[in-house]
Amino acid sequence: EKGWEMNEGILKVLGEESGCDIMTKEQFSDFELILEFKITKGANSGIKYFVNPKLTQQEGLGIGLEFQILDDRNHPDAKEGVGGNRTVGSLYDLIPAENLSIENRSKQFKGIGAWNQARIVVKNGKVEHWLNGEKTVEYDRYSQIFRALVAKSKYKNWEGFGQWSKGHILLQDHGDEVEFRSIKIREF
């Protein structure tokens, strides 16, 4: 009801008038989500998936896996966590983003005020994050390694975190101005 506006195909978090996150009515299991996002200086947001609306930190804020959207240079959260696991393109608080597509090349964030593309692919428990056409994260959400990462994270107290069979997709209002467009999802 507040904090967001839709204008000419752009969904915008207003920032100064914080509302709540926006969540899909439908739940998804195996899917591909592609969208473009643009951030302002110091902005923090995210794309959450496998969100369980029954688990919240407070009203309107869902718990789920998160493709981090962040101004790595100007937001302090980029230096928190472990080894960069809270930077843009990362699986928030679990796996840091790095360029897995081109060896010896950093992740390809186009910068503040530019449109960047996020892509999340989930199929049979395997998950990939892509930033501007290059893979930044891959993991198996049913693996022992994933469960060990969760056990050492801020999500350790939510039983079965990230392993629910289906969940909602959510765009995060973290109190900063962020824009989204060209949002497309397909189910496998």
Side-chain angles (χ1 to χ4, degrees), residues 154-166:
K154 67 188 272 180
Y155 304 114
K156 64 185 173 213
N157 296 326
W158 285 289
E159 187 176 338
F161 175 81
Q163 297 187 314
W164 304 303
S165 63
K166 60 185 177 177

Side-chain angles (χ1 to χ4, degrees), residues 19 22 49 53 64 98 107-108 115 140 143 155 162-163 179:
I22 289 181
Y49 52 102
E98 60 183 273
K107 62 185 176 185
Q108 297 300 296
W115 287 106
D140 181 340
S143 70
Y155 304 114
Q163 297 187 314
E179 296 178 334

Side-chain angles (χ1 to χ4, degrees), residues 99-135:
N99 194 324
L100 301 176
S101 295
I102 300 175
E103 193 174 339
N104 298 319
R105 180 170 160 164
S106 62
K107 62 185 176 185
Q108 297 300 296
F109 176 64
K110 293 180 182 178
I112 296 165
W115 287 106
N116 290 273
Q117 184 189 69
R119 178 176 171 228
I120 301 167
V121 180
V122 180
K123 194 165 190 179
N124 299 322
K126 308 285 191 277
V127 182
E128 299 174 349
H129 287 190
W130 294 72
L131 178 63
N132 295 316
E134 296 177 3
K135 191 186 316 181

